Amino acid sequence: MAQNQKPIVAESQIFSLGRVLQSLREEDNVDILIETTISYLKEQFDFKLIWIALYDRLNHILFGKGGFTPGNDTTVLQQRVVLSPGDLSEQIVIEQRPLAVADLRAENRAEEWQELARKYNIQGTIFLPIRYKDRCLGVVLLGSERWGYLLGGEDKAKLSIVLGELGAELYQSEINLQHQQIKRLDEPLIKLLERVQTLNNLEPKLEAVVQATHEFISPSRTSIYWFARSGRYFWRRVSNQSKSISDTSNQQPSGITVQEFSDFYYALSVNQIVSIGEARSSLKSNFTGKLLQRLQVRSLLAAPIIWQKDLLGFLAVEANEARIWTEAETSFLKSAAGLISLVAPTQSMESTINQVQLDSQLTSQVAQAIYSDRDLEEILRNCAAKVLQRLEATWFLLLQYNPDQNNYQFIYQSQLVNRRCLTFTLDALKEVDSQLLQRATVAVGIENFEEDLRFFNWRSPLLENNVRSLLISNCTAKHAPETLLIIAHETNRAWTTLEKELLQIVAQQIGVIVRQWQLQANTQQQQQILQIFQQCFRITEQAYATAEEEKHLERTALQQIASLLGCPLAILLSWSPDQRVAEIIPGLIANNRFAIALDALVPIQTEVLIQWALATDGVLTLSVNDLPPDTKKWLNGIDIGQILVMALRTSPDYQPTGVVLMADNSERRWSEQSIYTTESLVCQLAWSRRWLQITQSLESTTEKLQQLNWYKHRRLEDIQRTTTLLLGQIHDLGVPATELAQMRCQQLLRQLDHTTASMTGLLKLEQWQLVFSCETMPIASLFKRSLERIDNLIKQQRLWVSVHGLGQSIGIQESEQSGLVQPTGKTTIAIAGDIVKIELILHELLLGACHRSPSGGRIDIWCRRLDQRFLEVSITDNGIIDPQLLQELHPDTPKDLLAFSNLNQPPALHLLICQNLMHKLGGELQIYQLPDNRVVSRLLLPLTCGNDSSY
């Protein structure tokens, strides 16, 4: 019998589960579905507490639908539980999975059940979600008197099946209810539409909408609030509790102000429905409480009335009790508000058409004025007057970005009578605001500058001048905002889309006018630059006339540069090549706030500003904050902020002799065009200054050489006269007695006659310039005469001199008293040219080699015939020579006439003169050093046409 009893019980439980599932499927009423589920749970399970609640997603609460308690406490079973973070009920709703509690009496996360659990000794409790398709529809609470009560596998399966079926039915019931509600919206909306069509004026239509809305939703009060743009407030226009209230121009702002309820206003502006119900609000808590207190209600549902993106007002239903607004009520209110937005413009359609026509006339007049011959300022004046009248604004402001100052400046402004002009400048826009204006297709409106975060860095100066709201438009759409048109008002006000579009069109047209201004200004600036260059050239010409005008050239050029840049300070740090301290030459110091220490000593090598300029190719821009304290001691003007410096450099091979410095305040920004022009002017100043200095140097050198030449020439004349006199006296004395003495005397007389004759030719033909003659001489004779002239020097330093390469027909005779090796015999090689000058050049080279060579050293003279035209003579010695001298003597090295050089004094000066003379003689002279450190003086001498005759 016991074995047969168990299958009977299992079959009974299956039959009971089947019956309850069939009952749930066949029933549509939610209350009966919940009662059926509760009966099954009481019948099949030993629970002392059963509670079933449905979940309201919109308000995030659980409201009880029934259950069972030991004391049949229906109040507890019908309670509403507001879900809060951390509650067990919220955890079940969010996670949608069962949760067990060992002792409900000690569970702080379910405070709403603790008192009941202690009263009836409820301990082990299970929370189960009612869900369908990942959507939580409710919660089931099952409690027992046993601690840690757990369900078995079969019980879990039965509960899962029953609650799953209950969830499916609840979901279907909710869908059906939504369909019924939607269907319910059709009839009242159709009736409302038919009624509105029969009415002529706007006020009766608004009253009809209010009446239909009140009948459908049944609130405490239904009202239409209208928005006043000039004062930015909502006033109650129509209500089901009072007659229509008309808005007059003299009415003081009342109702709901935007300044006080900005969150509410901005929500409506973006076409968002505002819902405030029981434990739920679409606004922030601080705005919710203030708004309900102002309207003296506890619940509110408001739908915006919007036409062409402009907020006209809102339709509101208000309740004196805490109410939950359904989706059907929200949909009806939104539809009713949309109907108002369709019928509202019809009342003012005629005035709207007139306004559109006036706006079109305004824009066409501006466009016509652009292409007329009228003055541009007159065009803007007429345009500003019409725009201010049309938009009922206070200021018409046209701004232009100044890249030099990095700010926006007013280039034109107009305002109402008794309103002052705005004299300040506005900082450059932040990147986000610049991008906003660049992308905007209509003007950007600011209704309240104190609340709006856009253009935040303009807030302080505009608010200080009573600007509270504005429209701002980029005059060059889709481009960086360089020209801006602003319409400002001294009170907070809203701007319509039509007003924004109108200002955008006007701004684009004004952009063309500003472009004309810019082109005209650029032309004037180019003319100014041309005039400045002409003045600089004129000053340079005057400066060449008198060398004393160098500082006048510098000061005038600095003033011209400062005038072009519009900066208050321009100076020159000047120095000569041999100076270590720079002199400050002032060009322009506009006022005391840019005054500097003019008498300060500025060391060239340690002054950072000078070294930075010398290391930079072009203009260097600096901030005063970049300068070290030593520089600020002399560059100490209190308003100096931004600095331009550039070295006076004419060529990379020439040393700069000055640095031009220009300065302005810290807000100054230098444009690329101004910097480029400044570079050109500074370069022109550098060249003019260099040419002037070279001219002065050459004039001074010429004067000295003329004096030297006059003195030496007069001395030569005295010597020649004395020598001639002495020769005459010798001839008068007669012939000596002995034959040998007579021969020696005749030889000396012939030599003196030759010397006197050559001196006479020099005095007659080469007094102020060199005269080149053409003679021929064997190269061996030239070497012999040159070596004889330095014989004493060779003996003193015990030098060994050897000549190589004169040919096999040349004999060599060694001097016993010195190391001189002299050529003997005749050679077929002869040179052509001014033999006297060539001999002097060769003598200078041999003299230099002897002076360089150490005592007992060796000097080699190498001869090599290059071709039919030239003979190469190389003089090598082991002496020491300055590498800088070799570099300066190289023909490709630029000669800086203003810098210190070895070529300005002997022996380098003599070598340079020989080099230049040799070039004029048709030859070449090079001095260089071999890898083994031997010094080579290389001569290239022209040969005679017939080199095979003897001399």
Side-chain angles (χ1 to χ4, degrees):
M1 290 295 293
Q3 293 178 352
N4 295 331
Q5 187 71 22
K6 190 172 183 180
I8 293 174
V9 174
E11 290 177 1
S12 175
Q13 292 178 351
I14 293 173
F15 290 151
S16 177
L17 178 62
R19 286 195 303 271
V20 71
L21 292 178
Q22 184 176 359
S23 299
L24 293 176
R25 295 190 188 100
E26 294 175 354
E27 187 58 55
D28 295 332
N29 189 286
V30 175
D31 294 334
I32 297 177
L33 287 173
I34 293 176
E35 290 178 1
T36 303
T37 304
I38 293 172
S39 299
Y40 176 76
L41 294 177
K42 290 172 61 177
E43 176 186 345
Q44 297 294 325
F45 301 96
D46 184 18
F47 293 113
K48 300 299 181 183
L49 174 62
I50 300 175
W51 181 62
I52 296 180
L54 298 183
Y55 175 54
D56 182 5
R57 295 185 304 279
L58 296 178
N59 299 296
H60 199 48
I61 62 174
L62 293 174
F63 55 94
K65 298 297 291 184
F68 169 76
T69 63
N72 292 324
D73 192 348
T74 56
T75 303
V76 175
L77 297 177
Q78 299 298 326
Q79 68 174 332
R80 295 187 177 186
V81 179
V82 179
L83 302 181
S84 301
D87 293 347
L88 284 178
S89 301
E90 187 189 52
Q91 184 177 350
I92 297 300
V93 168
I94 294 175
E95 297 181 359
Q96 298 187 27
R97 59 185 181 86
L99 182 66
V101 175
D103 190 350
L104 186 60
R105 298 172 302 177
E107 183 55 61
N108 295 328
R109 294 178 295 170
E111 295 181 356
E112 63 273 9
W113 296 104
Q114 280 186 326
E115 183 178 353
L116 183 67
R118 296 190 184 99
K119 182 177 180 180
Y120 297 109
N121 194 31
I122 303 300
Q123 298 186 45
T125 305
I126 300 173
F127 292 85
L128 299 166
I130 304 173
R131 56 188 297 272
Y132 183 77
K133 292 184 177 180
D134 294 330
R135 182 172 176 179
C136 185
L137 303 171
V139 173
V140 176
L141 185 149
L142 304 175
S144 68
E145 295 180 345
R146 287 179 290 178
W147 185 90
Y149 180 81
L150 297 175
L151 292 175
E154 293 183 0
D155 293 340
K156 286 183 181 180
K158 290 188 292 183
L159 273 177
S160 177
I161 295 172
V162 172
L163 294 182
E165 186 64 31
L166 176 62
E169 295 300 325
L170 290 176
Y171 177 78
Q172 187 61 40
S173 177
E174 184 176 336
I175 296 298
N176 295 336
L177 180 62
Q178 290 178 359
H179 288 314
Q180 293 176 3
Q181 290 176 340
I182 293 173
K183 292 178 181 179
R184 284 180 55 199
L185 291 176
D186 299 341
E187 295 180 4
L189 285 175
I190 292 174
K191 291 180 180 179
L192 174 60
L193 182 59
E194 292 175 351
R195 186 179 177 187
V196 168
Q197 289 175 342
T198 61
L199 301 174
N200 295 326
N201 298 325
L202 178 62
E203 295 301 325
K205 294 180 180 180
L206 297 180
E207 292 175 357
V209 173
V210 168
Q211 181 180 356
T213 303
H214 193 78
E215 290 176 357
F216 184 85
I217 300 178
S218 300
S220 302
R221 182 173 64 229
T222 303
S223 306
I224 293 178
Y225 289 83
W226 218 246
F227 181 52
R229 296 188 176 279
S230 58
R232 296 181 79 230
Y233 66 93
F234 295 96
W235 56 282
R236 187 181 296 159
R237 182 168 184 171
V238 179
S239 175
N240 69 308
Q241 295 182 354
S242 61
K243 293 183 178 180
S244 299
I245 304 173
S246 60
D247 181 29
T248 62
S249 58
N250 297 327
Q251 182 180 358
Q252 297 296 326
S254 61
I256 304 172
T257 62
V258 174
Q259 185 174 1
E260 188 176 3
F261 301 99
S262 59
D263 198 35
F264 175 65
Y265 166 71
Y266 290 123
L268 295 175
S269 299
V270 295
N271 201 16
Q272 177 182 339
I273 293 182
V274 176
S275 175
I276 302 176
E278 183 180 1
R280 183 180 182 275
S281 174
S282 60
L283 302 178
K284 296 179 181 178
S285 58
N286 57 334
F287 286 103
T288 299
K290 289 170 59 179
L291 183 60
L292 295 179
Q293 184 178 2
R294 171 62 60 86
L295 298 176
Q296 297 180 355
V297 295
R298 295 184 62 188
S299 301
L300 172 69
L301 186 63
I305 303 172
I306 294 180
W307 182 69
Q308 289 188 345
K309 300 181 182 180
D310 296 327
L311 181 64
L312 303 179
F314 64 91
L315 174 62
V317 289
E318 308 160 20
N320 295 329
E321 72 279 357
R323 181 166 173 174
I324 300 176
W325 307 104
T326 65
E327 293 184 7
E329 294 169 344
T330 303
S331 300
F332 186 89
L333 189 72
K334 186 175 182 180
S335 302
L339 180 60
I340 296 174
S341 67
L342 294 177
V343 300
T346 59
Q347 184 187 28
S348 57
M349 186 62 69
E350 185 176 353
S351 61
T352 302
I353 294 174
N354 292 333
Q355 189 61 65
V356 171
Q357 292 176 348
L358 292 176
D359 293 344
S360 177
Q361 293 177 3
L362 173 61
T363 55
S364 63
Q365 289 174 0
V366 176
Q368 292 173 3
I370 293 175
Y371 298 100
S372 66
D373 295 332
R374 294 161 57 190
D375 182 62
L376 296 179
E377 189 168 352
E378 181 184 354
I379 296 173
L380 290 176
R381 182 169 60 252
N382 295 335
C383 176
K386 294 178 180 179
V387 171
L388 289 179
Q389 181 182 2
R390 163 67 178 88
L391 299 180
E392 298 178 355
T394 309
W395 287 279
F396 178 97
L397 307 171
L398 188 61
L399 288 80
Q400 178 72 33
Y401 176 70
N402 187 341
D404 292 348
Q405 301 291 342
N406 192 31
N407 59 19
Y408 284 90
Q409 299 176 355
F410 297 109
I411 59 176
Y412 181 83
Q413 59 177 303
S414 178
Q415 61 280 330
L416 298 181
V417 182
N418 299 328
R419 301 300 192 279
R420 62 181 181 180
C421 293
L422 305 182
T423 58
F424 53 89
T425 60
L426 294 173
D427 296 336
L429 290 172
K430 302 296 183 183
E431 182 64 24
V432 61
D433 296 326
S434 178
Q435 292 294 331
L436 172 64
L437 290 174
Q438 189 170 346
R439 294 192 301 264
T441 57
V442 296
V444 178
I446 303 292
E447 300 182 6
N448 186 352
F449 229 136
E450 295 179 348
E451 297 177 356
D452 208 310
L453 296 179
R454 292 174 295 179
F455 310 100
F456 185 79
N457 57 332
W458 288 4
R459 175 184 292 183
S460 296
L462 291 177
L463 289 178
E464 290 174 0
N465 288 270
N466 296 325
V467 175
R468 293 294 181 271
S469 59
L470 57 84
L471 277 178
I472 178 170
S473 178
N474 183 10
C475 294
T476 53
K478 307 302 181 183
H479 293 82
E482 295 183 355
T483 307
L484 300 176
L485 177 61
I486 296 180
I487 302 301
H489 204 282
E490 57 189 355
T491 61
N492 299 332
R493 63 160 293 180
W495 308 93
T496 65
T497 303
L498 190 61
E499 292 171 338
K500 296 177 182 178
E501 292 175 349
L502 171 64
L503 188 68
Q504 183 71 11
I505 296 174
V506 174
Q508 299 305 305
Q509 295 173 340
I510 290 179
V512 179
I513 299 177
V514 175
R515 181 60 178 168
Q516 292 178 350
W517 271 359
Q518 290 176 338
L519 292 176
Q520 185 177 358
N522 290 337
T523 302
Q524 293 176 352
Q525 186 179 22
Q526 296 297 332
Q527 292 177 351
Q528 180 187 9
I529 294 173
L530 178 60
Q531 292 174 358
I532 290 174
F533 274 108
Q534 291 175 346
Q535 292 175 1
C536 288
F537 287 130
R538 194 175 299 115
I539 295 167
T540 303
E541 293 173 359
Q542 296 173 356
Y544 288 146
T546 58
E548 291 77 10
E549 294 294 330
E550 180 180 352
K551 289 189 176 180
H552 172 68
L553 165 69
E554 295 163 348
R555 290 192 177 96
T556 307
L558 290 174
Q559 291 172 3
Q560 297 295 338
I561 295 173
S563 173
L564 177 67
L565 290 178
C567 63
L569 175 64
I571 63 172
L572 173 63
L573 301 174
S574 176
W575 64 86
S576 299
D578 56 344
Q579 288 182 334
R580 297 184 178 180
V581 177
E583 177 188 2
I584 300 178
I585 300 177
L588 175 67
I589 300 178
N591 52 62
N592 293 333
R593 302 184 70 85
F594 287 90
I596 63 174
L598 295 176
D599 56 347
L601 299 177
V602 183
I604 299 172
Q605 296 298 327
T606 59
E607 174 52 57
V608 174
L609 197 60
I610 293 178
Q611 295 302 318
W612 286 348
L614 296 180
T616 303
D617 185 15
V619 175
L620 175 64
T621 59
L622 296 168
S623 171
V624 70
N625 299 324
D626 301 331
L627 302 180
D630 291 341
T631 302
K632 294 180 181 179
K633 289 180 181 179
W634 61 271
L635 194 64
N636 52 11
I638 58 178
D639 276 359
I640 295 177
Q642 296 296 327
I643 300 170
L644 282 182
V645 291
M646 181 176 175
L648 288 178
R649 181 183 287 110
T650 55
S651 171
D653 300 315
Y654 300 154
Q655 291 298 322
T657 58
V659 170
V660 174
L661 183 147
M662 293 143 289
D664 207 335
N665 56 55
S666 58
E667 301 299 325
R668 179 66 186 267
R669 296 296 182 272
W670 316 96
S671 65
E672 292 185 4
Q673 183 179 7
S674 62
I675 291 179
Y676 176 76
T677 308
T678 300
E679 287 183 353
S680 301
L681 289 174
V682 173
C683 288
Q684 176 62 34
L685 173 61
W687 278 109
S688 300
R689 192 167 180 264
R690 175 177 175 79
W691 290 335
L692 181 58
Q693 291 175 347
I694 290 175
T695 302
Q696 294 173 354
S697 176
L698 294 179
E699 288 178 352
S700 176
T701 304
T702 302
E703 182 180 358
K704 295 177 181 178
L705 291 176
Q706 287 173 346
Q707 295 171 358
L708 178 63
N709 187 64
W710 173 84
Y711 169 73
K712 288 187 175 182
H713 200 79
R714 290 295 180 261
R715 288 289 295 165
L716 281 173
E717 288 178 346
D718 290 340
I719 296 172
Q720 190 265 346
R721 185 175 58 253
T722 304
T723 305
T724 303
L725 181 60
L726 291 176
L727 280 174
Q729 294 176 356
I730 293 174
H731 283 293
D732 293 339
L733 290 176
V735 181
T738 64
E739 184 180 357
L740 181 62
Q742 182 180 359
M743 291 178 60
R744 180 59 178 167
C745 181
Q746 290 296 331
Q747 184 181 8
L748 291 175
L749 287 174
R750 282 194 300 270
Q751 291 179 356
L752 283 174
D753 287 336
H754 179 72
T755 302
T756 303
S758 63
M759 192 180 302
T760 301
L762 173 66
L763 292 174
K764 287 182 179 181
L765 302 177
E766 297 183 298
Q767 180 176 359
W768 295 107
Q769 62 182 359
L770 295 176
V771 177
F772 296 95
S773 61
C774 185
E775 305 170 301
T776 60
M777 176 179 282
I779 188 64
S781 300
L782 180 64
F783 284 151
K784 181 178 180 181
R785 293 176 57 174
S786 298
L787 292 175
E788 287 177 351
R789 298 181 65 175
I790 62 171
D791 185 58
N792 290 334
L793 183 60
I794 292 174
K795 293 177 179 178
Q796 290 175 6
Q797 295 188 225
R798 292 179 295 175
L799 299 176
W800 180 268
V801 180
S802 180
V803 180
H804 311 276
L806 288 182
Q808 297 179 356
S809 61
I810 299 177
I812 303 298
Q813 180 181 357
E814 182 177 348
S815 174
E816 297 178 356
Q817 298 178 356
S818 68
L820 175 63
V821 178
Q822 297 180 341
T824 62
K826 295 182 180 180
T827 178
T828 59
I829 300 177
I831 61 173
D834 195 324
I835 300 301
V836 174
K837 295 180 177 60
I838 294 176
E839 183 179 347
L840 289 176
I841 293 172
L842 184 59
H843 170 71
E844 190 70 36
L845 297 178
L846 291 173
L847 198 64
C850 292
H851 288 156
R852 284 193 301 269
S853 299
S855 179
R858 180 185 178 91
I859 297 176
D860 291 297
I861 303 175
W862 302 85
C863 295
R864 183 169 69 93
R865 184 170 178 175
L866 293 180
D867 50 30
Q868 296 295 327
R869 297 175 55 200
F870 291 104
L871 173 70
E872 181 187 59
V873 177
S874 299
I875 304 172
T876 61
D877 63 84
N878 293 315
I880 299 175
I881 193 169
D882 186 4
Q884 181 66 27
L885 173 61
L886 295 178
Q887 179 66 27
E888 293 177 357
L889 286 174
H890 195 279
D892 295 335
T893 301
K895 306 299 187 294
D896 189 355
L897 300 179
L898 298 178
F900 173 80
S901 173
N902 294 317
L903 303 179
N904 295 334
Q905 56 188 357
L909 177 60
H910 296 167
L911 293 176
L912 179 63
I913 294 173
C914 293
Q915 198 173 47
N916 295 332
L917 276 177
M918 200 65 235
H919 179 72
K920 292 181 179 180
L921 291 169
E924 185 179 326
L925 170 59
Q926 296 177 353
I927 301 177
Y928 56 91
Q929 198 165 17
L930 295 175
D932 59 0
N933 294 328
R934 284 185 300 165
V935 179
V936 179
S937 301
R938 178 178 177 269
L939 270 175
L940 201 63
L941 300 176
L943 295 171
T944 59
C945 294
N947 290 319
D948 50 352
S949 58
S950 301
Y951 293 87

